[in-house]
Amino acid sequence: MTQAAHSSPGTANQAAPDHGQHHPLKVYFVVWGWLFVLSALSYMVDYFQFEGYLRWTLILIFMMLKAGLIVAVFMHMVWERLALIYAILVPPLAVLVFVGIMAIESEHTLFTRHLFFGAGG
């Protein structure tokens, strides 16, 4: 029998290099802290009873910041290649742009209906 056949099974695993990525836990704790702060700020919008566009603007800003942190750190997007980041993030951004264009067009359509058919039409 050869020398390798007599070695214990754990010996080969100890010599193998570790290929996994290890991120410091401090990054995760800092992001958890920021998520807590952003959630508290978004609840404060309701607590202080902001109304109208200010309310929805603040809620959307806090929501996008929280989603960005989650995608970047907990989904490991910040450590990925740029091509993979583009492949994952560009389609949802394109959908958001198209939704914005449709919202603008719907406002224009409503405006022209009120202009030509009056308030009752």
Side-chain angles (χ1 to χ4, degrees):
M1 295 188 119
T2 62
Q3 181 68 18
H6 291 288
S7 64
S8 66
T11 305
N13 289 337
Q14 291 173 354
D18 191 12
H19 293 292
Q21 292 182 352
H22 297 283
H23 311 294
L25 288 178
K26 181 182 176 185
V27 172
Y28 294 102
F29 290 128
V30 168
V31 170
W32 282 334
W34 275 110
L35 289 174
F36 178 77
V37 168
L38 290 172
S39 295
L41 289 174
S42 103
Y43 287 120
M44 296 300 266
V45 169
D46 282 336
Y47 183 77
F48 288 117
Q49 299 178 354
F50 290 119
E51 296 290 331
Y53 287 121
L54 177 63
R55 172 193 170 96
W56 291 109
T57 302
L58 289 174
I59 288 174
L60 288 175
I61 287 172
F62 294 140
M63 179 185 70
M64 295 298 279
L65 287 174
K66 288 192 296 186
L69 282 174
I70 290 170
V71 168
V73 175
F74 293 113
M75 295 176 72
H76 301 211
M77 193 63 63
V78 74
W79 295 288
E80 293 293 338
R81 289 186 218 155
L82 194 58
L84 184 62
I85 292 172
Y86 286 152
I88 292 174
L89 294 182
V90 169
L93 291 176
V95 168
L96 285 177
V97 168
F98 292 138
V99 167
I101 290 170
M102 287 189 298
I104 292 170
E105 184 181 355
S106 70
E107 290 291 327
H108 174 72
T109 303
L110 183 65
F111 172 74
T112 54
R113 283 186 182 179
H114 283 286
L115 183 66
F116 290 108
F117 299 117

